[in-house]
């Protein structure tokens, strides 16, 4: 079964989905099994990866359920989407297709995440710690379409590290980075030994979990790529930062701008229950802002007025082309209104939902 | 106070919101009170009305809370947004601005909705009925910008009728229409007697409440406009119909198309808990389709794959330019993904929210 799956992925004859035929039957060269591997034909405006669909279905990673044991839901999405975003600098989305990790097995993951011992020489955690330093390993596979075949051409590995290894001690960022580097140099030879992994670029992302149970997300703090061989030495800091607005202790310009935006919105729509912003900073500059507005209104006309107002206010306040913005208006009925702009866009879109 | 409010609305000197100054102080000609009446400067791509903001705030109708007593939440939004949509054929959104009803007072509404008697000669309900025939009267005001003044230039009146006037009997559509016409001819002279209402077009919409507590919305079934005078005779049927997909008893082409769409989605994403479509038909043709997909997945990559898949499937299945489509993917965390197209658009937009 593993061989079949690999053959589908490594080398399969494939025709792209056309608007007329919803799927194509294509022949796999190694084992002659009939299969479909298709992607969406929709132009990729958002900068996201095109997703590969195999056998007419979206294929999830088989190890995913086993390994995603992070402290909070916020950590999970930041861990997954963060690795995909980091991968874009190694594996260009206009060239590479994405598929969730297919090749690392549950058995391998279990051995790697367990404590190193004589019986388990490949364990990456050590028994000195109360909490495991490595909580999770995430695999993302990147494929290239070459003469009608999707070829496995790059892989990203996310390592979620828990800085709070004992109840009393928390590792510093330097200590965490040093430990992460060690782990990657233990893991890389194990990966290189796997079929298909021997000669492709392997990107590693080190993720620091948020250990409190608050609103904050964990973040990636360092990446490195091995193009070949069994050790990496060149690391980059990702300098990702997450901040929540408004926060009384935050006296930065970004915080003032958010507070002014919040006041303007509250002045026009007096029934609001709360406005909170979740910002992501890349290399010190705000790259993403997610705003959630909670309100109690029920009028449809009022929601359209709010839509027009928010599109205008956001356009005046958050106009930087490289900034991605999402504003959600929520009531007890759920999400009522979304106003958004992707990175690279200059105008806002909006949709009233109810 | 009522005079001040009217003077603001009937005739106020106003400068439009510019991108640099967030509001303008403008002088009201009648009472010299400083005020602001501004609208959004954002281009109106969606065909919605521009909303008028007065004194720096969105102004709700003062009678709204008193009068909106409909059977279900679904009825309320259909009643309100429905009247706004019907108004577009009388009051062109490129020319008219919208404001929630400002001129009918609570006192008037209370008298009109009460049973007609010697003490209450203007009551529109009669005492033969157990349930009131008229549940609610909704006012929407339409303004024109003329030489810097917003002038009150049109009004729409929605009348929500309850076909189930006694526990045992339900009025037929013909009976409901006849009763509605009678009521409009009683109400129109009362409206014409009000200041500002004497010489403007007044549109009436007759709304049939849905009396079951199911998923269905009530709908408008007839409209008429009085350009002048105190009676209307020319009525149009609105022929609005609401349908829910999939429904086993529905053997129409629209139903088959929906079922095929549902199957395609379920094939690609096997973890879905349900796909339901709410369709609106105008004069027999589907004009609006709201699809809700409930699922349990948690992966960010999977959500992006689902986004790409839905944009493509919707584009192939529901491509008619005049059709407005909203597809929402919901999990326990709320709305995760929205794929949509407005009427008049040929391509789909999409946004992943979490």
């Amino acid at each position: 079964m593993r061989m079949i799956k690999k053959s589908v992925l490594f080398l399969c004859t494939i025709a792209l989905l056309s608007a007329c035929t919803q799927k194509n039957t294509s022949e796999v060269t190694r084992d002659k099994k009939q299969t479909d591997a298709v992607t969406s034909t929709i132009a990729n405006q958002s900068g996201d990866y095109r997703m590969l669909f195999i056998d007419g279905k979206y294929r999830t990673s088989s190890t995913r359920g086993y390994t995603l044991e992070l402290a909070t839901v916020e950590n999970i999405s930041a861990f997954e989407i963060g690795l995909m975003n980091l991968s874009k600098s190694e594996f260009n989305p206009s060239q590479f297709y994405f598929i969730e990790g297919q090749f690392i097995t549950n058995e391998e993951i279990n051995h790697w995440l367990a404590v190193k011992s004589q019986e388990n020489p490949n364990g990456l955690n050590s028994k000195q710690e109360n909490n495991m330093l490595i909580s999770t390993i995430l695999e993302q596979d990147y494929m290239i379409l070459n003469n009608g075949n999707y070829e496995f051409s790059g892989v990203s590995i996310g390592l979620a590290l828990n800085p709070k290894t004992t109840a009393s001690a928390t590792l510093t960022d330097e200590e965490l980075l040093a430990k992460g580097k060690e782990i990657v140099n233990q893991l890389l030879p194990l990966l290189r030994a796997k079929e298909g992994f021997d000669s492709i670029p392997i990107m590693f992302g080190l993720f620091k979990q948020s250990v409190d149970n608050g609103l904050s997300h964990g973040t990636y703090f360092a990446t490195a790529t091995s193009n070949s061989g069994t050790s990496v030495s060149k690391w980059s800091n990702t300098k990702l930062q997450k901040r929540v607005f408004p926060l009384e202790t935050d006296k930065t310009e970004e915080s003032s701008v958010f507070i002014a935006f919040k006041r303007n919105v509250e002045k026009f729509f007096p029934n609001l229950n709360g406005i909170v912003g979740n910002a992501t900073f890349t290399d010190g500059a705000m790259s993403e802002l997610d705003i959630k507005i909670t309100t109690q209104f029920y009028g449809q006309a009022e929601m359209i007025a709010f839509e027009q107002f928010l599109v205008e206010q956001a356009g005046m306040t958050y106009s930087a082309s490289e900034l991605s913005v999402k504003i959600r208006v929520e009531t007890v009925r759920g999400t009522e209104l979304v106003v958004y702009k992707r990175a690279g866009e200059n105008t806002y879109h909006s949709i009233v939902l109810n």
Side-chain angles (χ1 to χ4, degrees), chain A residues 14 23 34 102 165 179 206 264 289 292 303 332:
Chain A
I14 140 94
K23 52 181 202 163
Q34 295 290 330
Q102 302 293 319
T165 48
K179 294 255 188 191
L206 299 181
N264 280 339
L289 180 62
K292 194 177 269 190
M303 207 51 85
V332 286

Side-chain angles (χ1 to χ4, degrees), chain A residues 61-73:
Chain A
S61 167
S62 56
T63 60
R64 196 175 187 285
Y66 282 77
T67 59
L68 275 182
E69 287 178 7
L70 299 182
T72 66
V73 172

Side-chain angles (χ1 to χ4, degrees), chain A residues 255-269:
Chain A
S255 174
S256 310
V257 168
F258 185 85
I259 286 166
F261 174 81
K262 181 171 181 287
R263 278 203 198 114
N264 280 339
V265 175
E266 284 167 344
K267 209 177 98 196
F268 268 67
F269 290 88

Side-chain angles (χ1 to χ4, degrees), chain A residues 30 32 68 71 75 79 92 114 127 152-153 163 177 187 199 201 254 274 281 284 294 297 303 321 324-325:
Chain A
R30 275 209 219 160
K32 306 290 181 200
L68 275 182
N75 275 320
F79 184 51
N92 190 330
K127 65 177 167 192
F152 180 44
S153 308
L177 179 60
L187 181 57
S199 63
E254 289 90 0
F281 288 75
T294 311
F297 47 61
M303 207 51 85
S321 163
S324 149
V325 180

Side-chain angles (χ1 to χ4, degrees), chain A residues 12-31:
Chain A
C12 62
T13 311
I14 140 94
L16 277 171
L17 186 64
S18 79
C20 309
T21 58
Q22 289 189 16
K23 52 181 202 163
N24 284 284
T25 306
S26 53
E27 206 170 318
V28 178
T29 46
R30 275 209 219 160
D31 63 321

